């Protein structure tokens, strides 16, 4: 019988395992039994003895290495990580999970790339482990996990508020009735059976909910719980004097594991090649239709949103950090433009030009919006850009297409390229590549630039939300 | 009826003779000191903002003496409404503006009985989904002067963030085509949205039906050519009896997919999404005068029997000589 904690280390069983371990003393010590389990796994391929995890810390790093390689390495060999799907490692795996979360919590915090990768890796690992179980056992495990994760038999959809907010699940994917999520077969048939015609209600249940939806919800809940736990650790760490050095060391090693594919494959690009994109002058020919429209000026409502929330992040990232989504690393404007010369001479003039083209010109009646533009560049609510203010606010990432459709629907007039991307910045990168490619083809030497950024959108290809108010109007 | 703007004298007459502070809905009066109020005095937008009324009497005096062109109150509740600071919660709001309905069959320049009737139908559908699928019950409908506001007060949703609200919005308007491919035991099956008579697929079916029945040959839909619109119109009577399978067959499965995809993206414009997502929005105050069209912003007791041209016209309109 597989333990629930193999899927969800944050379950009561998982917490018991952590309690049994007691102190940090044994964390770095060799665990012969763990090596034994790995070497005796029939599916395991061992190329080098160094690959066998010998203690909790090495196992923790292996967990992350598995995810990063699986995502980025075309030559990924799953058999070198077979032990991760072996329930025999449960009690070691649970400790490794906690160590990772704590290391990320104390060193990187909840808004870091490390946090995001950890949460995604946990989700993938749960799915991987389920896929290796017999179908009946997997079904039972999902049922049991859900019982623990869902507070009640009857769950209101707002229970999933966090999952909906982080878009881990879509409300439209849930089967709802009177506000409740329907997962149970009997409940389903009782509620919907009378409405179903020409079909067997039971087979409809199996298709619409069955194993698939339950598994999705379970996995997403575990991911959310992981994220919440890291956040909790981070909050505690802020009031603690000194984090355990073992955790800090693990955090550094983890950063190395995560940075390797960035150097080798380009994290999040799911392809070979990569490396940072070239940063250079903006090319308006590569702008997506929504940016071109905004540049001409907004002649209807929503001037503030268009200039402050949409154009400011787009123009600044396109010029200074076009592969933010591919790199998945948060930066400040000054990381890319130390003296703010590019911001002052290239970025702000372009944003101001778009503001001037509005009808009426935005700053004529709303000069305070210049302060809001500075805030969205990360320089706080101040009338001028000063390095000492940087960090008071966040440098907003460009709005996703989905958000533009909601906030600024009149800007969204998709062309053929738009269908392939989820963010205007990805459009810009793609078109820059195309334009560069054409240029190369037209020139005599015709060499391709393998470092150009045609990276696919990563999961984080989503702009931040507006915290601003709009004037109320109908 | 001519929806002419109200002049300053008519505004004063309305606030002194007809308006009563008792007409301000309970749900606003009870939370008066936690809300921000905003006013438009010149008809150029609400630029007199950050106002707070310590009691209902102060509000009464302000409205009577200032007779604003338009009055608004926040959907948000604050600890410090004067600074819009200390956000506590916000009503979940949906704004259906008759002049912005994507498939208007009237073609009027402003609003008229036809498009206001269409707006009412849309609102009814949205409210049914909010209460039926989403289990929300504290729902108020307000006639805004040019359309309708749906104001949801259930504690379950008033603390949700913009992302959750946008998911609710997409659910109730039907802006995502439900998937049609499902699998079980390694086998793939196809279930079109109209074969699932409950949950989101049913919501989507209802919205698509509403849209196709309102289609007009002159209308434009993303990714849908004129021929396809004409074909949809030609066969749409089948949908009156819910014969979706035959309708889809007549249109052709691939063209049908294009049609519903076009309608799905159009559905996102049934409501003004920005209003729903904004956690600090100010919204026209029920009972106040919409001076742009000379109508009363009115809390509706019964949507079915509500007629804006009967129930939301101020007295001064009937006294006009021209």
């Amino acid at each position: 019988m597989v333990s629930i904690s193999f899927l969800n280390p944050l379950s009561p069983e998982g917490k018991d395992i952590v309690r049994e371990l007691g102190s940090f003393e044994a964390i770095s010590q060799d665990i012969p039994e763990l090596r034994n389990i790995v070497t005796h796994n029939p599916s395991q391929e061992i190329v080098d003895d160094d690959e066998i995890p010998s203690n909790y810390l090495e196992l923790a790093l292996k967990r992350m290495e598995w995810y990063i390689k699986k995502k980025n390495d075309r030559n990924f060999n799953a058999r070198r990580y077979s032990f991760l799907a072996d329930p025999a490692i449960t009690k070691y795996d649970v400790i490794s999970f906690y160590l990772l979360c704590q290391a990320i919590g104390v060193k990187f915090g909840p808004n870091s790339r490390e946090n995001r990768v950890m949460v995604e890796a946990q989700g993938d690992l749960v799915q991987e482990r389920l896929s290796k179980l017999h179908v009946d056992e997997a079904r039972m495990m999902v049922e049991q996990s859900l019982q623990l994760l869902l507070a009640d038999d009857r769950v209101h959809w707002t229970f999933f508020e966090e999952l909906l907010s982080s878009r881990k699940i879509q409300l439209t994917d849930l089967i709802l009735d009177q506000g409740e999520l329907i997962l149970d077969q009997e409940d389903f048939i009782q509620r919907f059976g009378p409405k179903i015609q020409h079909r067997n209600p039971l087979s409809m249940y199996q298709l619409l909910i069955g194993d698939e939806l339950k598994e999705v919800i379970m996995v997403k809940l575990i991911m959310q719980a992981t994220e919440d736990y890291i956040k909790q650790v981070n909050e505690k760490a802020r009031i603690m004097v000194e984090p355990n050095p073992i955790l800090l060391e693990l955090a550094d090693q983890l950063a190395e594991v995560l940075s390797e594919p960035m150097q080798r494959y380009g994290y999040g690009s799911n392809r070979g090649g990569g490396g940072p994109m070239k940063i250079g002058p903006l090319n308006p020919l590569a702008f997506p239709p929504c940016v071109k429209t905004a540049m001409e000026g907004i002649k209807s409502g929503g001037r503030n949103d268009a200039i402050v929330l949409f154009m400011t992040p787009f123009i600044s990232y396109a010029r200074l950090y076009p592969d933010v989504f591919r790199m998945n690393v948060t930066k400040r404007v000054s990381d890319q433009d130390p003296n703010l010369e590019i911001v002052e001479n290239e970025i702000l003039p372009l944003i101001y030009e778009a503001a001037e083209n509005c009808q009426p010109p935005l700053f004529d009646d709303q000069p305070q919006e210049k302060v809001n533009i500075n805030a969205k560049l990360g320089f706080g609510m101040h009338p001028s850009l000063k390095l000492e203010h940087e960090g008071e606010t966040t440098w907003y990432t460009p709005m996703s297409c989905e958000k533009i459709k909601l906030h600024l629907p009149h800007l969204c007039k998709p062309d053929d390229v738009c269908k392939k991307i989820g963010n205007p910045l990805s459009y810009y990168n793609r078109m820059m590549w195309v334009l560069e490619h054409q240029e190369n083809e037209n020139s005599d030497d015709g060499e391709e630039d393998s470092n150009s950024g045609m990276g696919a959108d990563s999961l984080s290809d989503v702009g931040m939300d507006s915290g601003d108010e709009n004037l109320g109007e109908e | 009826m001519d929806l002419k703007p109200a002049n300053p004298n008519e505004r004063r007459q309305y606030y002194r003779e007809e308006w009563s502070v008792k007409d301000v809905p309970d749900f606003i009066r009870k939370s008066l000191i936690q809300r921000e109020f905003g006013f438009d005095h010149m008809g150029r937008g609400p630029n007199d903002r950050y106002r707070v009324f310590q009691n209902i009497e102060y509000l009464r005096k302000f409205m009577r003496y200032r007779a604003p062109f338009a009055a608004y109150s926040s959907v948000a509740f604050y600890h410090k409404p004067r600074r819009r600071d200390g956000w506590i919660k916000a009503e979940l709001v949906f704004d259906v503006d008759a002049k912005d309905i994507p498939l208007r069959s009237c073609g009027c320049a402003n609003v008229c009985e036809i498009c206001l009737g269409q707006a009412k139908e849309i609102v009814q559908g949205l409210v049914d989904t909010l209460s039926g699928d989403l289990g929300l019950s504290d729902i108020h409908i307000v006639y805004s002067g040019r359309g309708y506001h749906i104001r949801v007060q259930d504690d379950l949703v008033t603390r949700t963030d913009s992302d959750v609200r946008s998911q609710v919005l997409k659910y109730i308007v039907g802006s995502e085509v439900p998937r049609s491919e499902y699998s079980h035991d390694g086998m793939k099956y196809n279930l079109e949205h109209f074969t699932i008579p409950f949950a989101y697929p049913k919501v989507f079916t209802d919205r698509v039906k509403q849209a196709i029945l309102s289609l007009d040959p002159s209308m434009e839909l993303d990714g849908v050519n004129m021929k396809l619109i004409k074909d949809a119109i030609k066969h749409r009577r089948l949908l009156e009896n819910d014969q979706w399978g035959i309708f889809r067959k007549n249109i052709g499965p691939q063209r049908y997919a294009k049609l519903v995809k076009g309608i799905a993206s159009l559905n996102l414009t049934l409501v003004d999404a920005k209003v729903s997502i904004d956690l600090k929005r100010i919204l026209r105050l029920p009972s106040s005068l919409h001076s742009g069209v000379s109508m009363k912003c009115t809390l509706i007791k019964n949507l079915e029997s509500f007629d804006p041209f009967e129930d939301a016209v101020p007295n001064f309109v009937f006294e006009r000589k021209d």
Side-chain angles (χ1 to χ4, degrees):
Chain A
M1 174 66 199
V2 181
S3 160
I4 288 289
S5 56
F6 189 52
L7 300 183
N8 182 7
L10 293 157
S11 63
E13 287 177 31
K15 286 175 181 161
D16 287 345
I17 291 171
V18 177
R19 264 193 292 273
E20 275 171 36
L21 179 76
S23 72
F24 259 93
E25 302 300 310
I27 290 297
S28 323
Q29 284 172 14
D30 265 23
I31 307 169
E33 195 195 341
L34 176 59
R35 286 184 71 90
N36 210 16
I37 292 168
V38 176
T39 49
H40 285 82
N41 183 316
S43 320
Q44 184 67 36
E45 189 175 301
I46 300 170
V47 176
D48 185 336
D49 266 9
D50 286 349
E51 286 187 6
I52 306 169
S54 306
N55 58 34
Y56 296 116
L57 298 165
E58 287 178 9
L59 179 60
L61 294 170
K62 280 288 165 197
R63 266 170 146 262
M64 300 307 270
E65 191 184 280
W66 165 80
Y67 177 72
I68 292 288
K69 282 204 156 56
K70 184 169 73 81
K71 277 274 181 228
N72 300 292
D73 188 349
R74 282 186 181 163
N75 304 317
F76 173 68
N77 177 358
R79 295 190 56 186
R80 288 166 76 169
Y81 298 89
S82 293
F83 63 89
L84 285 175
D86 183 350
I89 69 162
T90 300
K91 62 180 178 183
Y92 310 112
D93 179 71
V94 166
I95 303 290
S96 299
F97 168 89
Y98 277 86
L99 286 170
L100 279 170
C101 289
Q102 290 182 15
I104 292 165
V106 299
K107 180 81 189 255
F108 304 110
N111 298 318
S112 61
R113 173 176 152 242
E114 288 76 9
N115 170 75
R116 191 182 306 124
V117 176
M118 173 71 202
V119 170
E120 287 170 9
Q122 185 59 24
D124 274 27
L125 199 51
V126 173
Q127 282 169 307
E128 175 77 10
R129 287 170 176 179
L130 275 175
S131 73
K132 294 282 188 284
L133 294 173
H134 184 274
V135 70
D136 290 335
E137 186 162 31
R139 192 172 291 150
M140 201 172 66
M141 293 282 294
V142 171
E143 290 283 356
Q144 285 181 358
S145 297
L146 276 176
Q147 275 172 12
L148 286 169
L149 289 161
L150 302 175
D152 209 328
D153 278 352
R154 299 236 154 150
V155 185
H156 197 274
W157 64 269
T158 47
F159 175 84
F160 302 101
E161 194 180 322
E162 273 186 303
L163 290 180
L164 293 165
S165 175
S166 58
R167 291 198 200 84
K168 288 191 181 73
I169 55 173
Q170 296 290 323
L171 194 60
T172 49
D173 289 337
L174 303 178
I175 302 295
L176 302 174
D177 183 46
Q178 301 302 317
E180 289 170 7
L181 171 74
I182 310 304
L183 285 177
D184 178 69
Q185 181 177 305
E186 274 176 38
D187 198 14
F188 176 94
I189 288 170
Q190 196 183 342
R191 289 177 193 244
F192 303 130
K195 295 180 181 175
I196 299 171
Q197 294 172 330
H198 318 302
R199 283 177 191 273
N200 177 349
L202 180 59
S203 60
M204 208 163 207
Y205 168 80
Q206 282 160 343
L207 290 179
L208 294 183
I209 296 173
D211 301 334
E212 202 178 320
L213 184 61
K214 286 180 185 173
E215 187 182 314
V216 167
I217 290 173
M218 184 205 72
V219 169
K220 303 292 184 190
L221 282 168
I222 291 172
M223 288 168 76
Q224 190 63 53
T226 305
E227 202 168 323
D228 293 346
Y229 178 65
I230 293 171
K231 197 173 173 185
Q232 208 181 313
V233 169
N234 178 259
E235 281 162 7
K236 278 187 187 160
R238 280 193 217 162
I239 42 180
M240 268 167 40
V241 186
E242 192 65 53
N244 191 307
I246 293 177
L247 289 178
L248 293 175
E249 199 181 325
L250 177 63
D252 290 340
Q253 290 171 315
L254 173 65
E256 264 175 59
V257 171
L258 264 57
S259 69
E260 187 213 10
M262 282 224 308
Q263 290 151 15
R264 285 181 49 183
Y265 331 106
Y267 176 74
S269 65
N270 294 325
R271 64 194 174 90
M277 274 183 59
K278 278 194 298 190
I279 295 170
L282 287 164
N283 183 347
L285 291 174
F287 286 169
C290 50
V291 174
K292 284 177 180 162
T293 306
M295 277 308 303
E296 287 163 14
I298 305 296
K299 293 166 183 61
S300 52
R303 287 175 305 153
N304 331 43
D305 282 5
I307 301 301
V308 177
L309 292 171
F310 169 63
M311 285 299 272
T312 301
F314 175 85
I315 296 290
S316 55
Y317 273 93
R319 176 63 184 88
L320 295 175
Y321 188 18
D323 50 359
V324 52
F325 298 128
R326 197 163 60 91
M327 303 301 274
N328 257 339
V329 175
T330 307
K331 289 190 182 184
R332 290 179 172 193
V333 165
S334 62
D335 292 334
Q336 308 294 89
D337 182 19
N339 305 319
L340 306 185
E341 279 174 13
I342 299 173
V343 176
E344 297 283 5
N345 299 328
E346 295 178 47
I347 292 169
L348 285 178
L350 211 55
I351 297 168
Y352 288 2
E353 185 189 329
E356 188 58 32
N357 290 340
C358 290
Q359 285 184 4
L362 181 64
F363 302 139
D364 283 7
D365 58 332
Q366 301 194 42
Q368 79 284 358
E369 289 300 3
K370 286 190 176 179
V371 173
N372 284 327
I373 288 169
N374 294 344
K376 298 297 173 271
L377 291 168
F379 291 87
M381 301 291 284
H382 299 282
S384 60
L385 296 177
K386 290 203 172 87
L387 281 169
E388 62 260 32
H389 294 145
E390 194 175 21
E392 286 180 21
T393 46
T394 309
W395 183 16
Y396 266 36
T397 47
M399 267 189 190
S400 64
C401 297
E402 192 185 351
K403 278 229 162 78
I404 292 163
K405 283 191 180 100
L406 288 170
H407 282 275
L408 300 154
H410 51 289
L411 282 185
C412 184
K413 297 277 179 281
D415 63 12
D416 286 348
V417 181
C418 292
K419 288 169 189 164
K420 303 177 187 127
I421 51 98
N423 190 295
L425 190 62
S426 311
Y427 182 110
Y428 180 74
N429 291 338
R430 190 179 282 258
M431 287 309 288
M432 283 296 275
W433 185 88
V434 169
L435 292 169
E436 214 168 288
H437 207 67
Q438 282 171 349
E439 224 170 84
N440 286 338
E441 274 180 3
N442 295 339
S443 68
D444 290 339
D445 54 6
E447 270 183 47
E448 271 193 40
D449 179 3
S450 62
N451 279 344
S452 53
M454 243 193 87
D457 305 347
S458 80
L459 286 174
S460 62
D461 183 330
V462 166
M464 291 177 75
D465 222 341
S466 144
D468 286 21
E469 309 85 52
N470 302 306
L471 292 178
E473 51 197 58
E474 285 175 351
Chain B
M1 182 175 291
D2 187 13
L3 301 170
K4 268 192 346 185
N7 64 41
N9 283 336
E10 290 173 330
R11 278 157 40 193
R12 274 192 290 274
Q13 183 187 339
Y14 173 74
Y15 282 110
R16 285 175 191 182
E17 294 175 12
E18 191 171 347
W19 178 83
S20 162
V21 79
K22 292 183 186 132
D23 298 338
V24 176
D26 266 358
F27 65 81
I28 291 176
R29 289 165 56 179
K30 281 178 184 164
S31 51
L32 197 72
I33 58 169
Q34 291 183 309
R35 293 190 192 247
E36 177 216 358
F37 281 76
F39 299 94
D40 172 4
H41 299 291
M42 313 294 291
R44 294 191 198 135
N47 52 8
D48 173 12
R49 292 195 62 172
Y50 299 91
R51 282 194 179 264
V52 180
F53 295 97
Q54 291 304 322
N55 62 46
I56 204 79
E57 185 55 20
Y58 288 143
L59 176 66
R60 187 186 71 81
K61 282 181 181 166
F62 184 95
M63 298 293 270
R64 278 179 63 92
Y65 293 113
R66 299 294 299 270
F69 185 89
Y72 303 84
S73 69
S74 65
V75 296
F77 295 54
Y78 303 96
H79 287 301
K80 295 176 186 164
R82 197 177 296 282
R83 290 172 38 205
R84 265 193 270 169
D85 202 6
W87 185 92
I88 302 166
K89 59 180 182 176
E91 299 170 43
L92 171 62
V93 177
F94 302 97
D95 176 14
V96 179
D97 198 325
K99 73 178 188 322
D100 295 330
I101 292 174
L103 299 172
R104 294 212 310 174
S105 40
C106 56
C108 72
N110 192 352
V111 291
C112 66
E113 294 189 38
I114 297 170
C115 57
L116 280 170
Q118 258 185 297
K120 188 165 139 177
E121 239 177 86
I122 290 165
V123 167
Q124 188 62 67
L126 300 180
V127 170
D128 286 349
T129 306
L130 285 165
S131 56
D133 284 36
L134 301 182
L136 300 168
S137 56
D138 196 354
I139 302 171
H140 302 274
I141 306 169
V142 174
Y143 174 68
S144 68
R146 267 205 281 237
Y148 294 87
H149 294 158
I150 301 169
R151 305 180 66 153
V152 185
Q153 317 266 342
D154 293 64
D155 284 342
L156 285 163
V157 293
T158 48
R159 284 179 172 77
T160 53
D161 65 16
S162 296
D163 287 309
V164 174
R165 289 166 196 246
S166 80
Q167 291 228 30
V168 174
L169 171 80
K170 289 194 286 191
Y171 188 105
I172 68 170
V173 300
S175 71
E176 303 270 336
V177 182
R179 65 186 175 130
S180 54
E181 282 187 2
Y182 294 86
S183 59
H184 180 63
D185 277 349
M187 294 282 288
K188 281 207 179 329
Y189 299 86
N190 194 284
L191 279 184
E192 284 296 328
H193 62 91
F194 50 79
T195 62
I196 304 169
F198 49 83
Y200 179 68
K202 171 75 167 79
V203 173
F204 185 75
T205 303
D206 290 347
R207 302 291 177 268
V208 170
K209 180 175 174 177
Q210 207 168 22
I212 293 175
L213 294 180
S214 311
L215 271 179
D216 181 283
S218 64
M219 291 169 175
E220 286 182 10
L221 275 177
D222 260 359
V224 180
N225 60 30
M226 204 186 296
K227 171 88 173 74
L228 180 46
I229 289 182
K230 279 183 178 161
D231 281 355
I233 292 169
K234 183 177 152 190
H235 297 292
R236 71 178 166 199
R237 59 184 174 72
L238 290 164
L239 300 186
E240 285 163 13
N241 310 317
D242 291 325
Q243 293 176 292
W244 286 91
I246 304 172
F247 177 81
R248 179 170 173 263
K249 189 165 149 273
N250 289 351
I251 298 279
Q254 287 187 345
R255 295 172 80 226
Y256 178 82
K258 273 188 186 162
L259 178 69
V260 293
K261 194 171 173 219
I263 290 172
S265 62
L266 195 78
N267 283 347
L268 202 51
T269 58
L270 285 175
V271 301
D272 183 346
K274 285 207 299 291
V275 176
S276 304
I277 290 167
D278 192 345
L279 301 176
K280 297 187 171 183
R281 195 83 180 174
I282 53 174
L283 214 57
R284 196 174 289 279
L285 178 70
S287 79
S288 67
L289 182 69
H290 188 314
S291 301
V293 288
S294 297
M295 287 189 111
K296 292 186 286 186
C297 177
T298 310
L299 179 66
I300 297 169
K301 290 186 177 71
N302 180 341
L303 182 64
E304 211 169 325
S305 61
F306 177 80
D307 177 356
F309 297 100
E310 286 284 330
D311 307 317
V313 181
N315 293 336
F316 66 74
V317 170
F318 298 108
E319 295 164 14
R320 281 174 177 165
K321 302 268 184 301
D322 45 12

